Amino acid sequence: MSMSHLYGTDGDDGVEMESFEVSDWDLQNEFNPHRQRHRQTKEEATYGVWAERDSDEERPSFGGKRSRDYSAPVSFVSAGLRKAAAEELSDEDSDDDEKPVKQEEIPKEFVPKKLKTGGNFKPSQKGFVGGSKSFVDFGSWERHTKGIGQKLLQKMGYVPGKGLGKNAQGIINPIEAKQRKGKGAVGAYGSERTPQSLQDFPVVDSEEETEEEFQKELSQWRKDPNGGKKKPKYSYKTVEELKAKGRISKQLAAPQKELSQVKVIDMTGREQKVYYSYSQISHKHNIPDDNPQQPLGKDSKPQGFALPELEHNLQLLIDITEQEIIQSDRQLQYERDMVVNLSHEIQKMAEVLSHEEKAISNLSKVLDMVEECERRMQPGCENPLTLDECAKIFETLQDKYYEEYRMSDRVDLAVAIVYPLMKEYFKNWDPLKDCTYGTEIIAKWKSLLENDQLLSHSGQDLSTDAFHRLMWEIWMPYVRNIVARWQPRNCGSMVDFLDSWVNVVPVWILDNILDQLIFPKLQKEVESWNPLTDTVPIHSWIHPWLPLMQARLEPLYSPIRNKLANALQKWHPSDSSAKLILQPWKDVFTPGSWEAFMVKNIVPKLGMCLNELIINPHQQHMDAFYWVIDWEGMISVSSLVGLLEKHFFPKWLQVLCSWLSNSPNYEEITKWYLGWKSMFSDQVLAHPSIKDKFNEALDIMNRAVSSSVGGYMQPGARENIAYLTHTERRKDFQYEAMQERREAENMAQRGIGAAAGSVPMNFKDLIQTKAEEHNIVFMPVIGKRHEGKQLYTFGRIVIYIDRGVVFVQGEKTWVPTSLQSLIDMAK
């Protein structure tokens, strides 16, 4: 049973809609047991309304499915509105060509419920209303749906009235269809483009151009209506044109020239053809019997003159002549280029020849000068050569013949000429008596013989540097002899000698003298030195070597300290000679080692001296106190303050208390207080512990004055003590304010930025600050790491930093070291 009677059409746009009204058909067939029912498929029974259906199916209504008529003929219609079924019926009944009645004029009850598209449909009848709809009615069917299509288009940027696409380049109106006049094929009645397509796509079709090309190609197959052959056209070429053609084409390379002379056999035709080069294949000509002879027709005329063999031979002669002309022109150009190149080569060779002649002339002059030097060096010569004259000759060689002098073997030249003269010059020389003898002449020879490109300073450079070899073999033996006879305690002459030669002697030779000759002598002398018996202090013959040897003297300091400590075991502070011996070493020893030496050997002796001090206001002996205070500059302030706190102030405050308890004279107490305070320096008085002790004494005096109410009180004592207290406190305040002012001035001079930047942020910045203070180069080694840590050069030492610890490269492994030791090693 079909439920198609439930479907109707909308009056506005012809959209079919389901009608849910109860009709007479429903009432008649409601109780009919034989009516056709819709059989539910297995998929519909399983999924219900979610079952998949064909895209062409209509939505089932009340278990029925709309039937379709597939027997209706196919008709091409224009875009428009489909007419209602009532209009189609009215067209079939009427024979005249009246306008169809619009759907709005027909009542709904007279509209049939089923579209009739059977065999009565006539092809000539118009099933659609022609014309194009405007964009206003575009998508008007969505009024009966949820309008999801229009919403999606608007979300993607579609604007009603404009085309689709990123730039709105699409068409606005739907595609129109144009009805063909007859039943012919497509394009049989001309162009079928509609006004809309012409508006949307104004580009002209290329059908006409294609047709013209086709006709043109077709005409090539047709026989020439005039008949006969075309008149041959002859082309003429001059020699200049052939030369220009040869210049434009690339010059043949050697392999191509060989290929141009290869014999080529062409077997592509009916008979084989022979060419003298590959280039001739592109210029094929008609050879006799190349084309079969055509039989003469009735209308054809026999040729009056036809000699194909002669034409072929003439063409070959022409081609060969062209090639010869081109090759001759190329050969001529090649010869001209060769002439130009040879002229340039001649010019270059002339320059080389002149340069070689000049070099030969200079070498001959240099050889003459050297031979003259050798002649004057022969024994028995009337005018023997001196060292100064030889230096002038070498200066002449260096100034006038620098290239030859630089290229010559200066080592052999110096060995043959200069060495004998140098030995003669220093034959009777005593370095300790005349330390500056020969410095000027050696400095001159240094500029003449030393290799400027010498980068390393070691004994391996003797074979490449004449000056180093000269100093090592001629000058160094005299120094060895004099150092072997030198006494280390007489250091003045040796120090003066090395100071005068330090800028002339190579660095590695000077290091060898200090390490191998001077230091062993000093070390041996220090071992034999006895501070108790020797009258000459050790610093008098050790300290003069500090500017030259610097850190090389470090191994001598430890035995010196041990010998001094042994000598101080039985020393008493009353002996001032110890201070005279130790004072020069304060700036030589490191601060840590100096402080440790003083705490171990001097401070205990001073503490025993203070214990022996007796404080007596009536008869005071100050010798022991003077012995201790005399060491203030030698020991640290903290050590001196510790001594005073432990051994002096307890006794001093006890004497003050006992004095105040026996009705004293407060003027004498005031003088006694101020007298003791004047015995200390400002640096000691500024220490907080010393301030506290003197303030404690003032408090004791104030309590003593205020507590004696009933007894006898000296007139004005209370006021005097109060004034003294006020004055001392004000002095302390003024001293502190002055110190703060000085610190502020120093900060202003250095600059706030520099002061802030000087504060090290990490251990690396601290090392960099210390390196700047001691003028040591501290920089990273580019591209070098050890276990992922960056390597640095600290002077000549390679180090790396790991978690606040400095590691120095040893012989086999990396050794941790302190910052002070690192600075001492770098110096």
Side-chain angles (χ1 to χ4, degrees), residues 590-609:
T590 60
S593 60
W594 173 258
E595 182 66 20
F597 179 82
M598 299 303 292
V599 170
K600 182 179 180 181
N601 300 288
I602 302 299
V603 173
K605 303 286 185 179
L606 299 179
M608 293 173 59
C609 187

Side-chain angles (χ1 to χ4, degrees), residues 88-203:
E88 294 180 0
L89 290 175
S90 61
D91 289 342
E92 292 179 359
D93 295 339
S94 60
D95 296 331
D96 52 351
D97 296 331
E98 296 180 357
K99 287 186 177 180
V101 184
K102 294 184 179 179
Q103 185 179 356
E104 291 81 354
E105 299 176 2
I106 305 175
K108 288 186 178 181
E109 57 269 15
F110 298 103
V111 178
K113 302 301 182 180
K114 184 178 180 181
L115 295 175
K116 297 181 179 180
T117 56
N120 296 328
F121 185 83
K122 298 180 181 180
S124 61
Q125 294 176 348
K126 296 181 180 179
F128 290 82
V129 179
S132 62
K133 290 179 64 178
S134 64
F135 65 88
V136 179
D137 296 333
F138 177 71
S140 58
W141 63 85
E142 288 192 343
R143 69 184 64 178
H144 307 292
T145 62
K146 294 183 179 180
I148 188 64
Q150 189 77 9
K151 293 178 182 178
L152 291 175
L153 286 175
Q154 291 178 355
K155 285 183 179 180
M156 289 184 283
Y158 171 70
V159 179
K162 295 184 178 179
L164 298 177
K166 182 178 180 181
N167 301 320
Q169 69 273 17
I171 61 175
I172 300 176
N173 298 321
I175 299 175
E176 294 182 352
K178 185 175 181 181
Q179 187 174 6
R180 198 173 297 123
K181 297 180 181 180
K183 297 183 179 181
V186 177
Y189 303 100
S191 176
E192 296 185 1
R193 296 189 62 177
T194 61
Q196 177 191 354
S197 66
L198 294 174
Q199 180 181 357
D200 295 336
F201 305 99
V203 182

Side-chain angles (χ1 to χ4, degrees), residues 51-279:
E52 294 184 357
R53 298 179 178 85
D54 195 2
S55 59
D56 295 335
E57 292 181 357
E58 297 292 339
R59 197 185 82 183
S61 176
F62 301 105
K65 185 175 181 182
R66 183 175 179 181
S67 61
R68 295 181 177 270
D69 188 3
Y70 296 102
S71 62
V74 179
S75 61
F76 295 92
V77 297
S78 62
L81 298 176
R82 182 66 183 269
K83 292 185 179 182
E87 296 182 24
E88 294 180 0
L89 290 175
S90 61
D91 289 342
E92 292 179 359
D93 295 339
S94 60
D95 296 331
D96 52 351
D97 296 331
E98 296 180 357
K99 287 186 177 180
V101 184
K102 294 184 179 179
Q103 185 179 356
E104 291 81 354
E105 299 176 2
I106 305 175
K108 288 186 178 181
E109 57 269 15
F110 298 103
V111 178
K113 302 301 182 180
K114 184 178 180 181
L115 295 175
K116 297 181 179 180
T117 56
N120 296 328
F121 185 83
K122 298 180 181 180
S124 61
Q125 294 176 348
K126 296 181 180 179
F128 290 82
V129 179
S132 62
K133 290 179 64 178
S134 64
F135 65 88
V136 179
D137 296 333
F138 177 71
S140 58
W141 63 85
E142 288 192 343
R143 69 184 64 178
H144 307 292
T145 62
K146 294 183 179 180
I148 188 64
Q150 189 77 9
K151 293 178 182 178
L152 291 175
L153 286 175
Q154 291 178 355
K155 285 183 179 180
M156 289 184 283
Y158 171 70
V159 179
K162 295 184 178 179
L164 298 177
K166 182 178 180 181
N167 301 320
Q169 69 273 17
I171 61 175
I172 300 176
N173 298 321
I175 299 175
E176 294 182 352
K178 185 175 181 181
Q179 187 174 6
R180 198 173 297 123
K181 297 180 181 180
K183 297 183 179 181
V186 177
Y189 303 100
S191 176
E192 296 185 1
R193 296 189 62 177
T194 61
Q196 177 191 354
S197 66
L198 294 174
Q199 180 181 357
D200 295 336
F201 305 99
V203 182
V204 180
D205 292 338
S206 60
E207 295 178 357
E208 298 178 358
E209 299 177 359
T210 306
E211 181 65 23
E212 292 178 357
E213 294 178 358
F214 175 73
Q215 294 296 336
K216 185 177 181 181
E217 293 177 357
L218 187 63
S219 62
Q220 295 178 0
W221 294 91
R222 295 174 181 173
K223 187 176 181 181
D224 189 4
N226 298 327
K229 295 184 179 180
K230 295 182 180 179
K231 186 176 181 180
K233 296 181 180 179
Y234 299 98
S235 60
Y236 302 95
K237 293 182 181 179
T238 61
V239 177
E240 297 299 330
E241 291 178 354
L242 291 177
K243 291 181 180 181
K245 179 182 177 182
R247 295 191 189 101
I248 293 174
S249 61
K250 295 182 179 179
Q251 189 173 0
L252 294 175
Q256 293 176 342
K257 290 181 179 179
E258 295 177 359
L259 292 177
S260 64
Q261 300 174 0
V262 173
K263 181 179 179 182
V264 181
I265 301 174
D266 184 11
M267 302 183 68
T268 58
R270 186 167 57 87
E271 294 181 357
Q272 65 178 15
K273 309 179 186 90
V274 180
Y275 302 100
Y276 65 92
S277 66
Y278 284 106
S279 61

Side-chain angles (χ1 to χ4, degrees), residues 10 40 42 44 98 265 368 444 469 477 483 519 525-526 656 669 734 799:
D10 186 78
Q40 194 176 30
K42 184 178 180 181
E44 290 176 349
E98 296 180 357
I265 301 174
D368 294 340
K444 186 183 296 183
R469 183 174 177 181
V483 172
F519 182 78
E525 191 67 23
V526 167
L656 178 62
I669 292 178
Q734 290 177 353
I799 65 171

Side-chain angles (χ1 to χ4, degrees), residues 611-807:
N611 281 333
E612 297 174 359
L613 177 66
I614 299 174
I615 300 176
N616 186 2
H618 302 289
Q619 188 179 1
Q620 183 67 53
H621 296 283
M622 301 294 295
D623 294 338
F625 184 80
Y626 289 149
W627 296 339
V628 175
I629 292 300
D630 194 31
W631 285 87
E632 181 181 349
M634 301 291 290
I635 63 176
S636 62
V637 177
S638 59
S639 300
L640 181 60
V641 170
L643 287 174
L644 295 175
E645 284 183 334
K646 185 177 181 181
H647 303 287
F648 173 75
F649 278 106
K651 296 189 293 184
W652 186 75
L653 292 175
Q654 186 178 2
V655 170
L656 178 62
C657 292
S658 62
W659 192 4
L660 290 172
S661 61
N662 296 323
S663 301
N665 187 353
Y666 285 97
E667 292 182 0
E668 293 180 358
I669 292 178
T670 303
K671 292 180 181 179
W672 180 78
Y673 171 85
L674 294 176
W676 276 109
K677 192 173 183 180
S678 63
M679 301 298 293
F680 299 98
S681 64
D682 293 339
Q683 188 177 6
V684 176
L685 291 175
H687 198 275
S689 299
I690 304 300
K691 284 183 181 180
D692 294 341
K693 295 299 180 181
F694 281 105
N695 290 332
E696 185 179 353
L698 291 176
D699 294 337
I700 292 173
M701 288 188 286
N702 285 321
R703 285 197 301 270
V705 172
S706 61
S707 61
S708 59
V709 179
Y712 172 76
M713 176 63 63
Q714 182 181 356
R718 185 175 300 173
E719 290 78 4
N720 291 337
I721 297 299
Y723 177 75
L724 176 64
T725 304
H726 177 70
T727 304
E728 294 298 318
R729 300 285 170 80
R730 186 176 62 184
K731 286 182 180 179
D732 293 341
F733 178 76
Q734 290 177 353
Y735 182 80
E736 292 177 357
M738 184 175 62
Q739 290 294 112
E740 293 179 357
R741 190 181 304 110
R742 288 178 181 175
E743 292 178 359
E745 290 177 357
N746 293 334
M747 183 67 72
Q749 290 177 359
R750 290 194 301 266
I752 299 176
S758 63
V759 178
M761 301 301 295
N762 50 29
F763 193 67
K764 177 187 172 183
D765 295 338
L766 178 61
I767 296 176
Q768 186 172 1
T769 304
K770 292 296 182 181
E772 293 174 357
E773 291 176 359
H774 294 85
N775 295 325
I776 299 173
V777 178
F778 175 68
M779 60 184 296
V781 181
I782 300 176
K784 298 292 184 181
R785 292 181 176 272
H786 177 72
E787 296 180 355
K789 306 296 188 302
Q790 176 66 49
L791 296 182
Y792 301 87
T793 55
F794 192 84
R796 298 181 181 178
I797 305 171
V798 179
I799 65 171
Y800 77 91
I801 305 169
D802 186 12
R803 291 176 289 184
V805 180
V806 180
F807 289 83

